Short mmCIF file of all heavy atoms in Angstrom, two decimals:
data_model
loop_
_atom_site.label_atom_id
_atom_site.label_comp_id
_atom_site.label_asym_id
_atom_site.label_seq_id
_atom_site.Cartn_x
_atom_site.Cartn_y
_atom_site.Cartn_z
N ALA A 24 -28.74 11.04 4.84
CA ALA A 24 -30.02 10.37 4.64
C ALA A 24 -30.22 9.29 5.75
O ALA A 24 -31.33 9.16 6.29
CB ALA A 24 -30.05 9.70 3.27
N ILE A 35 -19.01 4.37 3.09
CA ILE A 35 -17.60 4.75 3.11
C ILE A 35 -17.06 4.99 1.71
O ILE A 35 -17.62 4.52 0.73
CB ILE A 35 -16.72 3.65 3.76
CG1 ILE A 35 -16.94 2.29 3.02
CG2 ILE A 35 -17.02 3.48 5.27
CD1 ILE A 35 -15.85 1.29 3.24
N GLU A 43 -7.02 -2.65 -10.44
CA GLU A 43 -7.21 -3.46 -9.21
C GLU A 43 -8.68 -3.68 -8.90
O GLU A 43 -9.05 -4.02 -7.77
CB GLU A 43 -6.52 -2.79 -8.01
CG GLU A 43 -5.00 -2.77 -8.17
CD GLU A 43 -4.29 -2.07 -7.01
OE1 GLU A 43 -4.87 -1.98 -5.90
OE2 GLU A 43 -3.17 -1.59 -7.23
N CYS A 80 -28.54 0.57 -17.50
CA CYS A 80 -27.13 0.20 -17.40
C CYS A 80 -26.68 -0.53 -18.69
O CYS A 80 -25.63 -0.21 -19.25
CB CYS A 80 -27.00 -0.71 -16.19
SG CYS A 80 -25.39 -1.29 -15.86
N LYS A 121 -34.37 21.40 -29.12
CA LYS A 121 -33.07 21.28 -29.83
C LYS A 121 -31.96 21.40 -28.80
O LYS A 121 -31.91 22.39 -28.06
CB LYS A 121 -32.94 22.39 -30.86
CG LYS A 121 -33.83 22.18 -32.08
CD LYS A 121 -33.71 23.36 -33.05
CE LYS A 121 -32.36 23.31 -33.78
NZ LYS A 121 -32.24 24.45 -34.75
N ARG A 132 -22.67 10.09 -22.58
CA ARG A 132 -23.41 8.94 -23.08
C ARG A 132 -24.71 8.72 -22.28
O ARG A 132 -25.78 8.49 -22.85
CB ARG A 132 -22.52 7.70 -22.98
CG ARG A 132 -22.77 6.69 -24.03
CD ARG A 132 -21.74 5.59 -23.96
NE ARG A 132 -22.32 4.35 -24.38
CZ ARG A 132 -22.47 3.96 -25.66
NH1 ARG A 132 -22.02 4.74 -26.63
NH2 ARG A 132 -23.04 2.82 -25.94
N ALA A 139 -32.91 11.01 -25.19
CA ALA A 139 -33.69 10.11 -26.04
C ALA A 139 -34.96 9.68 -25.27
O ALA A 139 -36.09 9.70 -25.81
CB ALA A 139 -32.89 8.90 -26.46
N LYS A 140 -34.77 9.32 -24.00
CA LYS A 140 -35.90 8.87 -23.16
C LYS A 140 -36.94 10.01 -23.05
O LYS A 140 -38.16 9.74 -23.10
CB LYS A 140 -35.38 8.50 -21.76
CG LYS A 140 -36.42 7.97 -20.81
CD LYS A 140 -35.78 7.62 -19.48
CE LYS A 140 -36.83 7.25 -18.44
NZ LYS A 140 -36.23 7.06 -17.10
N ASN A 184 -29.07 29.07 -31.24
CA ASN A 184 -30.00 28.24 -32.04
C ASN A 184 -30.56 27.05 -31.23
O ASN A 184 -31.34 26.27 -31.76
CB ASN A 184 -29.29 27.65 -33.25
CG ASN A 184 -28.76 28.76 -34.16
OD1 ASN A 184 -29.21 29.91 -34.05
ND2 ASN A 184 -27.82 28.44 -35.01
N ALA A 191 -20.86 18.77 -20.70
CA ALA A 191 -20.56 17.45 -20.13
C ALA A 191 -19.07 17.16 -20.30
O ALA A 191 -18.67 16.00 -20.30
CB ALA A 191 -21.41 16.39 -20.77
N LYS A 197 -11.22 23.11 -12.97
CA LYS A 197 -10.05 23.88 -12.52
C LYS A 197 -10.26 25.35 -12.81
O LYS A 197 -9.30 26.10 -13.07
CB LYS A 197 -8.79 23.36 -13.21
CG LYS A 197 -8.48 21.92 -12.84
CD LYS A 197 -7.27 21.40 -13.60
CE LYS A 197 -7.14 19.90 -13.42
NZ LYS A 197 -6.73 19.23 -14.69
N GLU A 199 -11.44 26.80 -15.37
CA GLU A 199 -11.13 27.25 -16.73
C GLU A 199 -12.32 28.00 -17.31
O GLU A 199 -13.45 27.83 -16.85
CB GLU A 199 -10.84 26.08 -17.66
CG GLU A 199 -9.80 25.09 -17.22
CD GLU A 199 -10.42 23.88 -16.56
OE1 GLU A 199 -11.34 24.03 -15.71
OE2 GLU A 199 -9.99 22.77 -16.90
N TYR A 219 -19.66 19.98 -11.01
CA TYR A 219 -20.34 20.45 -9.78
C TYR A 219 -19.39 21.12 -8.80
O TYR A 219 -19.82 21.66 -7.78
CB TYR A 219 -21.09 19.32 -9.10
CG TYR A 219 -20.29 18.07 -8.78
CD1 TYR A 219 -19.48 18.02 -7.64
CD2 TYR A 219 -20.31 16.98 -9.63
CE1 TYR A 219 -18.77 16.90 -7.35
CE2 TYR A 219 -19.56 15.86 -9.36
CZ TYR A 219 -18.80 15.82 -8.21
OH TYR A 219 -18.04 14.71 -7.94
N MET A 220 -18.11 21.10 -9.10
CA MET A 220 -17.13 21.73 -8.22
C MET A 220 -16.17 22.50 -9.07
O MET A 220 -15.43 21.90 -9.85
CB MET A 220 -16.42 20.63 -7.43
CG MET A 220 -15.54 21.11 -6.33
SD MET A 220 -16.47 21.51 -4.86
CE MET A 220 -16.50 19.97 -3.98
N PHE A 226 -18.93 28.85 -17.14
CA PHE A 226 -20.06 28.50 -18.04
C PHE A 226 -21.37 28.97 -17.38
O PHE A 226 -22.21 29.63 -17.99
CB PHE A 226 -20.03 27.00 -18.26
CG PHE A 226 -21.03 26.46 -19.23
CD1 PHE A 226 -20.99 26.78 -20.57
CD2 PHE A 226 -22.00 25.52 -18.80
CE1 PHE A 226 -21.90 26.23 -21.49
CE2 PHE A 226 -22.90 24.98 -19.70
CZ PHE A 226 -22.86 25.32 -21.03
#
Side-chain angles (χ1 to χ4, degrees):
I35 56 160
E43 293 178 24
C80 181
K121 288 177 73 179
R132 211 172 148 83
K140 183 179 173 186
N184 301 341
K197 296 178 192 140
E199 307 98 314
Y219 55 82
M220 190 80 90
F226 185 65

